[in-house]
Every structure is written in structure tokens, then in C-alpha cells.
């Protein structure tokens, strides 16, 4: 049975929502998402009232709707919610932060979710959410107009130790590059055409938008948000194809003290192994994987040799 304390519900009303709306939002946060039928059953809210509540929460940007059958309602990420809270409400914001963390246990990384968002503001909010959630790797391919709005968030996660790779299109803004040079972003490239708009964190969640739309001045643009590791790895696969053929703007020097490095995307693990060998660094590598013939989990250790990065094959040998 779903239970939530009254203090948390009262704190959520700072967002300009009613107690009933706060209850529905807290429930969705706890579940990671739900259908209307599930909410009616668990919260004892009549159907007409529930649909009014869901419509209000969607208008306020606190939930997203996955247009499946039946429709699936997904709560906004924590940092988007907190940005909507008045800065003067520090004490209540702290209550929301602590309670949502408790409610999101084992649900925050829900797999297999996808939804579409419209408008430049919502695209940026989703990008900020993905960027600030990155703990290990961040892959970004964006035009200068979006980089200008997101650069502070990108730099901040890079400063926290996240390995950050940035591909800019269709050209380089020198002012922005100078800001990046002063940061810990690992490598910046530029491509005159660009392939697509992508922000992907930890090979777990991504924001994707067609290239043409990312360069459009139309405010009614849309993007797709994937909270799914399979799709994120799919995007990173094609991101890397563009990455290896793009022109390098700069790359931070890597030393032995920068290791160990951990990657979910084997293409960029191979990329860093190649770069380390070019610098004469001697690395020991551990690979966690699965033997495809048997399905057996395996750990391999060794020294990398014969690193191969081409359009056909991206791999290395372990000695």
C-alpha cells in the first residue's frame, strides 16, 4: 500500500499544486510511472477528477505522458522539479529532496521508457536532467545555439569527474571553446554537417533530436527521451561513427594518474586505450562481458594490444 507523510505533501504544494495533485505526483515518483487504472485503484480517486489532476500536472511540466495503450504517466526528474521551486523556499525544498530520494528507491532507473517532449524549453529541461544525472560518462553532440545554453551544466559534471565527450556542429564558437578549454571536458570535436542531436549519460538515458530540427528556429520543436540502456548504447554506436571522423578541436592530456577509467560504452573504452598507447602509457584492462555462445558471464584481464578502430571493427586484444 502506498503511504506518504503529510509534511511531504505540504512541501510539494510550494510548486503551485493542490494536495491531491501532490499525492498523485508522489505516487508516480514512488512507482516510477503508472497507468490511470493503477492510480484509480491505489489512490481511490474518481476517474474524472484524476484526469483533471493529470492534465494539470502535465501543463505544469511535472509529469510526461507516454502515448501507449493504455497511456503511461511518468514523473519529471528531481532536478527539473527543484528548479521550479522558489529559491526562497530552502527549507521546504530540502523536505522535497529527502522524500523524493526515499520514494525513488529502486525505481529511478526504470528501464524501457520512452516519451516525446515538445518546445525548446522542455528539450533543454530534459537535456539538463540527463546531463546532471551523469555519474561516469557523458556523450554530447549539439549545435552551438544549444551548447551556449547547456555549457555550464556540461562543465559542472566534467569538473565532478565525469568523462565528457563533446561533438559540435556545424562550426565552432571560439568563445565557447575557450570556456571549455578551462574545464575538464576530455575531448571536443567539430563536424561541419553533424549527424543528430544527442545527450547521453552513462549509456542509460538519452535525449535525441533529428539534426534538421536542432538547427530550426521553430519554437515547436520536439525531441525523444529514452530511459533505456539498449537504445542509449544504440545511439552511442552511431555517435562514435561520427566522432572518429570529426575534426579534433582539443583533447586533454591523459596521465597514468587519470586511471582507472570505467566505461559502459566499449567504443570509447577502445578509444581511450588507443590514445593511451599513443602516449606510451602501459595499461592493464579488465573486461566484464558475456560469452555469446554460452551466455556465461566472464571477467577478462590483460594488457591491450592490436587496437583496431575502423568503420568495420572496433576492438583490441588482451595479452
Amino acid at each position: 500500500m502506498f503511504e506518504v507523510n503529510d509534511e511531504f505533501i505540504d512541501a510539494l504544494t510550494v510548486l503551485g499544486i493542490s494536495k491531491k495533485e501532490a499525492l498523485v505526483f508522489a505516487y508516480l515518483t514512488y512507482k516510477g510511472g503508472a497507468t490511470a487504472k493503477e492510480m484509480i485503484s491505489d489512490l481511490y480517486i474518481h476517474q474524472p477528477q484524476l484526469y483533471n489532476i493529470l492534465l494539470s500536472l502535465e501543463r505544469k511540466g511535472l509529469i510526461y505522458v507516454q502515448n501507449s495503450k493504455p497511456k503511461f504517466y511518468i514523473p519529471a526528474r528531481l532536478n527539473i522539479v527543484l528548479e521550479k521551486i522558489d529559491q526562497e523556499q530552502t527549507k521546504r525544498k530540502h523536505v522535497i529532496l529527502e522524500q523524493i530520494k526515499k520514494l525513488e528507491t529502486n525505481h529511478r532507473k526504470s528501464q524501457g521508457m520512452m516519451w516525446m517532449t515538445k518546445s525548446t524549453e522542455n528539450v533543454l529541461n530534459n537535456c539538463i536532467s540527463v546531463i546532471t544525472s551523469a555519474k561516469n560518462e557523458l556523450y554530447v553532440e549539439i549545435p552551438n545555439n544549444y551548447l551556449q545554453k547547456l555549457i555550464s551544466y556540461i562543465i559542472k559534471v566534467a569538473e565532478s569527474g565525469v568523462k565528457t565527450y563533446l561533438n559540435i556542429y556545424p562550426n565552432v564558437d571560439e568563445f565557447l571553446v575557450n570556456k571549455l578549454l578551462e574545464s575538464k571536458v576530455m575531448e571536443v570535436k567539430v563536424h561541419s554537417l553533424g549527424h543528430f542531436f544527442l545527450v547521453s549519460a552513462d549509456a542509460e538515458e538519452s535525449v535525441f533530436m533529428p539534426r534538421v530540427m536542432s538547427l530550426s528556429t521553430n519554437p515547436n520543436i520536439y525531441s525523444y527521451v529514452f530511459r533505456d540502456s539498449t537504445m542509449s548504447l544504440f545511439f552511442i554506436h552511431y555517435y562514435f561513427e561520427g566522432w572518429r571522423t570529426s575534426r579534433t578541436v582539443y583533447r586533454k592530456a591523459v596521465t597514468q594518474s587519470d586511471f582507472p577509467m570505467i566505461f559502459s560504452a566499449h567504443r570509447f573504452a577502445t578509444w581511450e586505450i588507443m590514445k593511451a598507447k599513443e602516449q606510451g602509457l602501459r595499461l592493464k584492462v579488465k573486461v566484464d562481458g558475456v560469452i555469446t555462445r554460452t551466455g556465461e558471464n566472464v571477467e577478462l584481464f590483460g594488457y591491450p594490444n592490436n587496437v583496431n578502430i575502423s568503420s568495420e571493427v572496433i576492438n583490441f586484444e588482451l595479452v
Side-chain angles (χ1 to χ4, degrees):
M1 181 177 177
F2 172 71
E3 293 182 357
V4 63
N5 65 51
D6 291 337
E7 185 181 20
F8 181 42
I9 295 296
D10 289 338
L12 281 172
T13 60
V14 174
L15 296 168
I17 61 178
S18 68
K19 288 192 175 184
K20 284 282 189 182
E21 290 171 340
L23 176 64
V24 170
F25 178 76
Y27 174 84
L28 289 172
T29 302
Y30 168 74
K31 295 278 288 184
T35 63
K37 184 178 180 180
E38 290 172 324
M39 287 181 270
I40 291 169
S41 174
D42 292 344
L43 300 177
Y44 306 104
I45 298 176
H46 295 300
Q47 184 174 348
Q49 184 183 18
L50 176 63
Y51 282 121
N52 287 334
I53 289 170
L54 292 172
L55 185 61
S56 176
L57 290 173
E58 185 183 5
R59 279 200 305 261
K60 292 167 183 173
L62 295 175
I63 66 170
Y64 305 108
V65 183
Q66 184 169 303
N67 290 317
S68 52
K69 289 186 179 181
K71 288 185 177 180
F72 196 74
Y73 298 87
I74 304 165
R77 292 293 295 270
L78 173 60
N79 52 329
I80 292 179
V81 176
L82 294 181
E83 285 185 4
K84 296 177 182 292
I85 298 175
D86 193 301
Q87 295 299 316
E88 297 178 2
Q89 302 293 334
T90 305
K91 182 177 179 180
R92 289 191 173 187
K93 183 161 69 174
H94 178 72
V95 173
I96 294 173
L97 175 62
E98 293 303 315
Q99 291 295 326
I100 288 182
K101 282 183 177 179
K102 292 177 183 177
L103 291 170
E104 285 189 331
T105 303
N106 297 326
H107 294 284
R108 188 167 185 177
K109 293 184 178 179
S110 300
Q111 295 295 302
M113 292 186 181
M114 184 277 284
W115 62 93
M116 182 178 75
T117 54
K118 296 181 179 180
S119 83
T120 303
E121 181 182 1
N122 284 331
V123 170
L124 286 169
N125 282 339
N126 280 296
C127 289
I128 292 167
S129 176
V130 171
I131 291 168
T132 55
S133 72
K135 298 294 185 293
N136 190 55
E137 303 152 71
L138 179 64
Y139 305 101
V140 180
E141 182 165 346
I142 54 175
N144 281 300
N145 58 321
Y146 280 91
L147 177 58
Q148 186 175 11
K149 296 178 174 66
L150 296 173
I151 189 169
S152 62
Y153 300 96
I154 293 170
I155 288 174
K156 187 173 181 179
V157 297
E159 297 294 326
S160 72
V162 174
K163 296 179 290 297
T164 304
Y165 300 86
L166 176 60
N167 204 356
I168 307 168
Y169 63 89
N171 49 50
V172 175
D173 183 307
E174 294 299 331
F175 174 75
L176 297 179
V177 169
N178 287 335
K179 291 184 70 173
L180 291 165
L181 275 169
E182 298 171 359
S183 74
K184 292 186 178 180
V185 172
M186 286 194 69
E187 194 165 357
V188 176
K189 287 178 172 276
V190 63
H191 198 285
S192 59
L193 294 176
H195 301 85
F196 45 68
F197 179 107
L198 180 69
V199 176
S200 185
D202 301 330
E204 290 179 354
E205 52 186 331
S206 305
V207 177
F208 170 84
M209 181 165 47
R211 173 190 175 278
V212 172
M213 188 152 299
S214 71
L215 296 171
S216 171
T217 57
N218 188 336
N220 297 316
I221 63 168
Y222 61 85
S223 69
Y224 296 96
V225 184
F226 295 85
R227 196 176 294 171
D228 181 89
S229 57
T230 301
M231 284 303 300
S232 294
L233 285 169
F234 173 81
F235 288 132
I236 293 170
H237 171 97
Y238 287 100
Y239 173 89
F240 186 79
E241 280 302 293
W243 175 265
R244 68 183 187 84
T245 58
S246 296
R247 177 174 64 85
T248 300
V249 177
Y250 81 83
R251 175 179 167 82
K252 294 291 184 184
V254 176
T255 66
Q256 205 78 45
S257 63
D258 292 309
F259 295 90
M261 291 184 183
I262 301 172
F263 288 88
S264 300
H266 92 273
R267 281 165 168 73
F268 277 87
T270 307
W271 180 260
E272 287 302 330
I273 289 169
M274 180 186 73
K275 292 297 183 181
K277 289 180 72 67
E278 287 175 356
Q279 290 183 223
L281 299 177
R282 182 169 170 79
L283 302 179
K284 187 174 184 180
V285 173
K286 173 189 173 187
V287 178
D288 292 320
V290 176
I291 299 176
T292 55
R293 289 192 301 273
T294 64
E296 178 188 357
N297 291 324
V298 65
E299 287 185 352
L300 303 175
F301 297 86
Y303 296 95
N305 191 30
N306 292 333
V307 181
N308 186 4
I309 293 181
S310 69
S311 60
E312 300 297 328
V313 178
I314 300 169
N315 63 13
F316 56 89
E317 298 175 0
L318 282 181
V319 179

